[in-house]
Amino acid sequence: VVATFKATEQLTFILNYDWARQENATSLVDGSTIKANWSGVAAYVNYQPSEQWRWSLRAEYLDDEDGYRTGVIQEWKEATLTLAYLPTESAEIRMEVRGDRSDESSFVESNGAKKDQNSAGLEVIFKF
């Protein structure tokens, strides 16, 4: 289910809910055959003050109750802040910072696993 509310020409709110079940799924946790269930919700705020600039804030929650989607039985939360520059109609440059947090140590590093991670990214998108 996706709901979009365009408050103004510049400001948009989006809410997304997903629920899924798969019969006879192979567990990524122990290899057994399971009835896998997972669900998630995401909320977005997009603000575009001009034709060339947009920022977005996204927050997501995933309940991977059987570990089927991620390989770990966990509840995962994420937040991303994006600044986008649109120099032309067919190009977009995005800078993002993201924070992830799980109730399990599922983010692997060279010295072990931890419950959270942060990342930054730069994307160049060409639309055709």
Side-chain angles (χ1 to χ4, degrees), residues 96-114:
E96 294 187 338
V97 291
R98 174 178 169 143
D100 293 273
R101 180 148 185 83
S102 174
D103 62 341
E104 297 294 328
S105 296
S106 58
F107 301 104
V108 179
E109 289 189 333
S110 59
N111 59 349
K114 61 182 190 169

mmCIF file of all heavy atoms in Angstrom, residues 96-114:
data_model
loop_
_atom_site.group_PDB
_atom_site.id
_atom_site.type_symbol
_atom_site.label_atom_id
_atom_site.label_comp_id
_atom_site.label_asym_id
_atom_site.label_seq_id
_atom_site.Cartn_x
_atom_site.Cartn_y
_atom_site.Cartn_z
ATOM 1 N N GLU A 96 23.878 11.488 -0.230
ATOM 2 C CA GLU A 96 23.057 10.889 0.820
ATOM 3 C C GLU A 96 23.895 10.531 2.040
ATOM 4 O O GLU A 96 25.052 10.138 1.914
ATOM 5 C CB GLU A 96 22.388 9.600 0.321
ATOM 6 C CG GLU A 96 21.386 9.811 -0.760
ATOM 7 C CD GLU A 96 20.626 8.548 -1.114
ATOM 8 O OE1 GLU A 96 21.108 7.424 -0.856
ATOM 9 O OE2 GLU A 96 19.524 8.694 -1.662
ATOM 10 N N VAL A 97 23.268 10.639 3.199
ATOM 11 C CA VAL A 97 23.811 10.076 4.438
ATOM 12 C C VAL A 97 22.719 9.181 5.020
ATOM 13 O O VAL A 97 21.534 9.490 4.930
ATOM 14 C CB VAL A 97 24.254 11.162 5.450
ATOM 15 C CG1 VAL A 97 25.465 11.900 4.949
ATOM 16 C CG2 VAL A 97 23.129 12.107 5.779
ATOM 17 N N ARG A 98 23.150 8.043 5.553
ATOM 18 C CA ARG A 98 22.189 7.041 6.011
ATOM 19 C C ARG A 98 22.673 6.429 7.310
ATOM 20 O O ARG A 98 23.864 6.196 7.503
ATOM 21 C CB ARG A 98 22.055 5.959 4.933
ATOM 22 C CG ARG A 98 21.201 4.792 5.343
ATOM 23 C CD ARG A 98 21.077 3.798 4.207
ATOM 24 N NE ARG A 98 20.489 2.564 4.674
ATOM 25 C CZ ARG A 98 19.645 1.828 3.978
ATOM 26 N NH1 ARG A 98 19.295 2.204 2.764
ATOM 27 N NH2 ARG A 98 19.159 0.722 4.472
ATOM 28 N N GLY A 99 21.727 6.158 8.186
ATOM 29 C CA GLY A 99 22.007 5.442 9.422
ATOM 30 C C GLY A 99 21.104 4.234 9.529
ATOM 31 O O GLY A 99 19.904 4.334 9.272
ATOM 32 N N ASP A 100 21.676 3.079 9.856
ATOM 33 C CA ASP A 100 20.924 1.838 10.022
ATOM 34 C C ASP A 100 21.128 1.334 11.442
ATOM 35 O O ASP A 100 22.219 1.460 12.008
ATOM 36 C CB ASP A 100 21.442 0.766 9.056
ATOM 37 C CG ASP A 100 21.161 1.090 7.608
ATOM 38 O OD1 ASP A 100 20.074 0.739 7.142
ATOM 39 O OD2 ASP A 100 22.021 1.702 6.948
ATOM 40 N N ARG A 101 20.065 0.723 11.985
ATOM 41 C CA ARG A 101 20.159 0.142 13.330
ATOM 42 C C ARG A 101 19.288 -1.106 13.380
ATOM 43 O O ARG A 101 18.162 -1.100 12.886
ATOM 44 C CB ARG A 101 19.703 1.132 14.387
ATOM 45 C CG ARG A 101 19.794 0.583 15.789
ATOM 46 C CD ARG A 101 20.107 1.679 16.793
ATOM 47 N NE ARG A 101 20.303 1.175 18.123
ATOM 48 C CZ ARG A 101 21.427 0.671 18.587
ATOM 49 N NH1 ARG A 101 22.468 0.584 17.813
ATOM 50 N NH2 ARG A 101 21.522 0.246 19.826
ATOM 51 N N SER A 102 19.812 -2.163 13.968
ATOM 52 C CA SER A 102 19.091 -3.417 14.129
ATOM 53 C C SER A 102 19.057 -3.797 15.600
ATOM 54 O O SER A 102 19.884 -3.338 16.391
ATOM 55 C CB SER A 102 19.790 -4.534 13.332
ATOM 56 O OG SER A 102 19.177 -5.782 13.594
ATOM 57 N N ASP A 103 18.108 -4.652 15.960
ATOM 58 C CA ASP A 103 18.097 -5.167 17.325
ATOM 59 C C ASP A 103 19.031 -6.376 17.467
ATOM 60 O O ASP A 103 19.171 -6.926 18.550
ATOM 61 C CB ASP A 103 16.673 -5.509 17.779
ATOM 62 C CG ASP A 103 16.028 -6.600 16.945
ATOM 63 O OD1 ASP A 103 16.490 -6.870 15.814
ATOM 64 O OD2 ASP A 103 15.040 -7.197 17.413
ATOM 65 N N GLU A 104 19.695 -6.764 16.372
ATOM 66 C CA GLU A 104 20.678 -7.845 16.370
ATOM 67 C C GLU A 104 21.990 -7.327 15.778
ATOM 68 O O GLU A 104 21.991 -6.373 15.005
ATOM 69 C CB GLU A 104 20.185 -9.033 15.536
ATOM 70 C CG GLU A 104 18.942 -9.684 16.065
ATOM 71 C CD GLU A 104 19.147 -10.352 17.414
ATOM 72 O OE1 GLU A 104 20.268 -10.849 17.686
ATOM 73 O OE2 GLU A 104 18.194 -10.370 18.218
ATOM 74 N N SER A 105 23.077 -7.971 16.080
ATOM 75 C CA SER A 105 24.377 -7.595 15.505
ATOM 76 C C SER A 105 24.472 -8.179 14.100
ATOM 77 O O SER A 105 24.988 -9.273 13.900
ATOM 78 C CB SER A 105 25.519 -8.100 16.389
ATOM 79 O OG SER A 105 25.473 -7.469 17.639
ATOM 80 N N SER A 106 23.961 -7.451 13.119
ATOM 81 C CA SER A 106 23.887 -7.981 11.757
ATOM 82 C C SER A 106 24.748 -7.223 10.749
ATOM 83 O O SER A 106 24.775 -7.586 9.582
ATOM 84 C CB SER A 106 22.425 -7.977 11.289
ATOM 85 O OG SER A 106 21.894 -6.676 11.337
ATOM 86 N N PHE A 107 25.464 -6.194 11.182
ATOM 87 C CA PHE A 107 26.333 -5.437 10.283
ATOM 88 C C PHE A 107 27.766 -5.906 10.508
ATOM 89 O O PHE A 107 28.358 -5.666 11.552
ATOM 90 C CB PHE A 107 26.191 -3.933 10.533
ATOM 91 C CG PHE A 107 24.784 -3.455 10.335
ATOM 92 C CD1 PHE A 107 23.965 -3.167 11.417
ATOM 93 C CD2 PHE A 107 24.257 -3.323 9.054
ATOM 94 C CE1 PHE A 107 22.665 -2.742 11.233
ATOM 95 C CE2 PHE A 107 22.953 -2.898 8.865
ATOM 96 C CZ PHE A 107 22.156 -2.611 9.957
ATOM 97 N N VAL A 108 28.323 -6.575 9.521
ATOM 98 C CA VAL A 108 29.614 -7.230 9.649
ATOM 99 C C VAL A 108 30.750 -6.258 9.339
ATOM 100 O O VAL A 108 30.702 -5.534 8.345
ATOM 101 C CB VAL A 108 29.698 -8.461 8.717
ATOM 102 C CG1 VAL A 108 31.053 -9.135 8.834
ATOM 103 C CG2 VAL A 108 28.580 -9.442 9.032
ATOM 104 N N GLU A 109 31.742 -6.258 10.196
ATOM 105 C CA GLU A 109 32.970 -5.494 10.008
ATOM 106 C C GLU A 109 34.152 -6.440 10.146
ATOM 107 O O GLU A 109 33.981 -7.601 10.544
ATOM 108 C CB GLU A 109 33.073 -4.378 11.051
ATOM 109 C CG GLU A 109 32.099 -3.252 10.854
ATOM 110 C CD GLU A 109 32.419 -2.090 11.791
ATOM 111 O OE1 GLU A 109 32.998 -2.307 12.870
ATOM 112 O OE2 GLU A 109 32.089 -0.962 11.411
ATOM 113 N N SER A 110 35.333 -5.953 9.888
ATOM 114 C CA SER A 110 36.529 -6.807 9.974
ATOM 115 C C SER A 110 36.774 -7.316 11.397
ATOM 116 O O SER A 110 37.346 -8.376 11.586
ATOM 117 C CB SER A 110 37.751 -6.052 9.468
ATOM 118 O OG SER A 110 37.953 -4.878 10.232
ATOM 119 N N ASN A 111 36.325 -6.579 12.406
ATOM 120 C CA ASN A 111 36.544 -6.996 13.795
ATOM 121 C C ASN A 111 35.274 -7.569 14.443
ATOM 122 O O ASN A 111 35.174 -7.593 15.654
ATOM 123 C CB ASN A 111 37.091 -5.827 14.610
ATOM 124 C CG ASN A 111 36.146 -4.628 14.621
ATOM 125 O OD1 ASN A 111 35.192 -4.591 13.856
ATOM 126 N ND2 ASN A 111 36.418 -3.673 15.479
ATOM 127 N N GLY A 112 34.305 -8.006 13.647
ATOM 128 C CA GLY A 112 33.084 -8.597 14.188
ATOM 129 C C GLY A 112 31.838 -7.929 13.642
ATOM 130 O O GLY A 112 31.876 -7.228 12.643
ATOM 131 N N ALA A 113 30.729 -8.160 14.316
ATOM 132 C CA ALA A 113 29.448 -7.594 13.881
ATOM 133 C C ALA A 113 28.955 -6.605 14.920
ATOM 134 O O ALA A 113 29.281 -6.704 16.104
ATOM 135 C CB ALA A 113 28.427 -8.708 13.674
ATOM 136 N N LYS A 114 28.162 -5.653 14.448
ATOM 137 C CA LYS A 114 27.599 -4.663 15.359
ATOM 138 C C LYS A 114 26.144 -4.392 14.991
ATOM 139 O O LYS A 114 25.654 -4.846 13.957
ATOM 140 C CB LYS A 114 28.425 -3.377 15.360
ATOM 141 C CG LYS A 114 28.503 -2.701 14.018
ATOM 142 C CD LYS A 114 29.382 -1.469 14.118
ATOM 143 C CE LYS A 114 29.272 -0.659 12.838
ATOM 144 N NZ LYS A 114 29.866 0.645 12.957
#
